Amino acid sequence: VVAIKIIKPGLLAESLVERFQRERETLAQLVHPNIAQLYDGGEIAGGSPYIVMEYVDGLPLLDYAGEQGLDRDARRRLFLAICDAVSAAHRSLIVHRDLTPSNVLVTRDGVVKLIDFGIAKPAEDADGEGGVSATGHTASLSLTPGYAAPERMMGARITTAADIFSLGKLLEKLIPPGPKDRELHAIIAQATQDDPAERYPSADALGSDVIAWAANEPVAAMNGGRRYSAEKFVARNRGFLIAGAI
């Protein structure tokens, strides 16, 4: 049982269809338990390309979290699985470019599956977006306002930093920070910086800060220095310190 996606006629220019076909082989090698596997592809009689991918019986990320009434810890585990999948894609020089709640499915067993890598783009492609056109550039197929990085809107060259921005927006929706969640606010703020160079250098780095936040460890996004680190140490070991003082 598989899912078959067909690109509508007229959405892709001829040159982009050729690139889509070239990328298919690369994307088929992207194997990860949290990424819906791309199995095959081809072209129907009218010339429209199609992809054959793993069928995921699940719900969009936010729908699943709401339906299951997930607490923060469970939501954090889902987010870390997403970061791990994105990191694997980036190691293969693949940028998803459209990480949104609807492109992250969660199975009935609670397994995260990223979908729609079929319209992703190799990170080393130096041609940039080339502009967003109504005639069918792939940028118009994979840009979701509210989740797309600012450089996507400007037609600038896309790097893995674009996915880091989208991950930050996903985190904000999945675990909405409260007024007292200063560290979570800092994590989201660093991930969604307008300047790509100011964001986390990798999905792993973002995931590590989320783990640190949950474990009451120093969060790199805080840039807190020694005093901040000492405060976190005291907070983690308050009982032992009080006992030692007594």
Side-chain angles (χ1 to χ4, degrees):
V1 177
V2 298
I4 301 175
K5 291 197 172 187
I6 302 173
I7 305 300
K8 292 181 180 180
L11 281 182
L12 290 179
E14 183 177 348
S15 61
L16 295 173
V17 171
E18 293 175 358
R19 195 186 76 186
F20 181 92
Q21 294 167 341
R22 291 197 307 270
E23 290 173 8
R24 198 165 53 216
E25 183 176 349
T26 300
L27 293 167
Q29 298 172 9
L30 189 56
V31 179
H32 189 278
N34 298 120
I35 296 176
Q37 179 66 41
L38 179 66
Y39 294 132
D40 198 1
E43 195 175 283
I44 63 175
S48 296
Y50 68 85
I51 56 174
V52 181
M53 61 187 298
E54 175 185 355
Y55 173 74
V56 180
D57 183 13
L59 293 173
L61 177 65
L62 299 183
D63 292 345
Y64 177 85
E67 182 183 274
Q68 298 294 317
L70 299 184
D71 59 17
R72 277 192 162 191
D73 283 343
R75 290 168 181 256
R76 174 178 50 82
R77 288 192 291 271
L78 289 179
F79 182 75
L80 291 175
I82 297 169
C83 286
D84 192 54
V86 172
S87 179
H90 289 178
R91 287 194 296 272
S92 296
L93 301 180
I94 294 294
V95 182
H96 187 286
R97 300 196 310 153
D98 196 30
L99 291 169
T100 67
S102 61
N103 279 339
V104 180
L105 301 182
V106 186
T107 70
R108 304 297 175 179
D109 297 327
V111 179
V112 165
K113 292 284 186 178
L114 272 62
I115 63 171
D116 275 358
F117 269 97
I119 54 174
K121 181 179 181 181
E124 71 273 17
D125 190 333
D127 295 333
E129 294 283 9
V132 180
S133 72
T135 57
H137 198 284
T138 48
S140 63
L141 293 178
S142 58
L143 191 155
T144 303
Y147 292 91
E151 59 267 29
R152 297 290 318 282
M153 304 296 185
M154 297 184 294
R157 182 175 182 270
I158 301 306
T159 68
T160 55
D163 282 349
I164 303 302
F165 183 95
S166 299
L167 283 172
K169 291 295 186 180
L170 269 180
L171 178 60
E172 186 176 28
K173 292 291 187 180
L174 185 61
I175 311 178
K180 296 182 179 180
D181 292 322
R182 61 186 187 125
E183 291 167 322
L184 182 55
H185 276 292
I187 292 171
I188 293 169
Q190 181 165 342
T192 58
Q193 288 286 332
D194 286 343
D195 183 353
E198 297 296 322
R199 298 172 200 156
Y200 287 97
S202 67
D204 286 337
L206 170 55
S208 293
D209 243 9
V210 171
I211 292 172
W213 163 63
N216 211 15
E217 297 277 354
V219 170
M222 291 293 291
N223 294 316
R226 292 182 178 179
R227 181 176 179 178
Y228 168 68
S229 296
E231 289 174 352
K232 300 302 290 184
F233 177 82
V234 170
R236 293 194 309 275
N237 300 280
R238 191 178 304 276
F240 290 107
L241 292 173
I242 292 174
I246 292 172

